[in-house]
Amino acid sequence: MRIKIMKDKHISLRLDEIEYNKIIKLATIANMSLSNYLRKAALSKEIKPRFSVHEKAYFQNLSAIGNNINQLSKYYNSKNGIVDDLTHQRLLNTLDHLDSLVNKLLDHGS
């Protein structure tokens, strides 16, 4: 004996005319009701996040580096472009780190 599961939950979504017609056509081609088609499509597809955990970490690091560059630039400008060797070295290290992170992001995307 087959147990019938009550499907009493409802989800609403907005579509434009083109999206709506495409989904109706696909459900018809699959010989499925619209509800069954959408249910199967939604539950059988794996949705990948826009950014991985590693990519998010890279973006956070890039943001922190951007803040450091802004602070160094303010300091540099307040000294009329004359800075000590330590500040100059910190700026170069920050730029190297930024370059490394950007390259990792670019390599990861390919």
Side-chain angles (χ1 to χ4, degrees), residues 17-35:
E17 189 72 25
I18 294 171
E19 293 168 329
Y20 177 80
N21 289 332
K22 183 174 182 177
I23 291 172
I24 295 294
K25 182 178 179 181
L26 291 170
T28 302
I29 290 169
N31 196 27
M32 298 173 80
S33 70
L34 183 58
S35 291

Side-chain angles (χ1 to χ4, degrees), residues 89-105:
Q89 190 58 47
R90 282 181 61 207
L91 179 58
L92 291 177
N93 289 343
T94 301
L95 292 173
D96 285 343
H97 191 198
L98 177 62
D99 188 50
S100 171
L101 286 172
V102 169
N103 285 330
K104 283 182 186 179
L105 275 174

Side-chain angles (χ1 to χ4, degrees), residues 28-52:
T28 302
I29 290 169
N31 196 27
M32 298 173 80
S33 70
L34 183 58
S35 291
N36 273 343
Y37 177 80
L38 290 172
R39 189 179 305 107
K40 295 282 185 194
L43 296 175
S44 66
K45 297 284 183 177
E46 179 183 343
I47 305 297
K48 294 183 180 180
R50 188 174 282 173
F51 298 110
S52 71

Side-chain angles (χ1 to χ4, degrees), residues 46-78:
E46 179 183 343
I47 305 297
K48 294 183 180 180
R50 188 174 282 173
F51 298 110
S52 71
V53 173
H54 297 296
E55 289 167 331
K56 285 181 183 178
Y58 288 141
F59 289 127
Q60 288 171 337
N61 278 322
L62 286 172
S63 177
I65 291 169
N67 289 337
N68 289 343
I69 290 172
N70 284 338
Q71 290 171 0
L72 288 169
S73 296
K74 273 185 173 180
Y75 179 80
Y76 183 78
N77 288 330
S78 73

